[in-house]
Amino acid sequence: KSFASTTRGKRWGNRGFMRWNLTALPARRFPRIKKREQEKMKKPYDKFLYRQLLGASNREHGKRFEERIDVALQWYERSGDAVIEKTPEPMRPIKDLGGGRFVAHYEKAAQPDYKGTLRGGRSVVFEAKFTSTEKLSQSRVTSEQAARMDVYSTAGAWCFIVAGFNNGSVYRIPWEVWRDIKSHFGRQYVTQKDISSFRVPVNFSGIPLLLSK
């Protein structure tokens, strides 16, 4: 049969040309790729794209988690209950561009994320960690940060870990518990079920009450 007899077309308006049913074209006109080869072609790209999307999502959720903490700390400062600030991340300049500009890279964090003072004079120090998975590993706090937390805790500061999860829940884990996480939970990570008793309440505005007793 001819090409015209195996396809169906119909007039489209008054333009005088045919709209062909392309599904009727002979299969041999299109090169076929085996399904296994298609999957092989897609896999590297899909994996790369997945990692990019996952990384972007984690960064965005982590940023929102920090913003919630910042709002909570501002609320405590306005009420006069505490003054707590984020510790600047240490940077090492590697190139002077002149005019007060320079190129720098972040060094390995050694100080806890937040430090401040409660009303009455007691110091408060804490690390903030967010995870988009179902568990939070103890290794998220570096050995250098853990050593500094021990120093502050020994000096009498109130030390803890603020843990955030993808569902919006926030937990305040005492440093003594986090430091000996394996003896408390039998492993070096925690799930939300493990730390349910440390869940942080929120006020009517949705602000996490990080310093609630």
Side-chain angles (χ1 to χ4, degrees), residues 2 4 16 28 51-52 67 120 125 169 191 194:
S2 67
R28 65 178 178 274
R51 287 176 177 173
Q52 276 195 322
E67 288 173 350
V125 180
S169 298
T191 64
D194 296 330

Side-chain angles (χ1 to χ4, degrees), residues 65 113 127-142 160-166 169-175 177-179 181-182 185 187-195 198:
F65 174 60
D113 289 335
E127 275 286 326
K129 299 300 178 185
F130 174 83
T131 179
S132 58
T133 65
E134 297 179 354
K135 61 185 181 181
L136 185 63
S137 300
Q138 187 184 33
S139 60
R140 291 288 302 279
V141 177
T142 67
F160 50 85
I161 303 294
V162 175
F165 287 80
N166 213 22
S169 298
V170 179
Y171 302 84
R172 189 186 68 209
I173 309 170
W175 175 244
V177 174
W178 182 267
R179 181 181 55 197
I181 196 171
K182 191 169 184 179
F185 305 106
R187 38 185 156 71
Q188 293 182 318
Y189 68 86
V190 292
T191 64
Q192 293 191 68
K193 184 178 180 180
D194 296 330
I195 55 178
F198 302 129

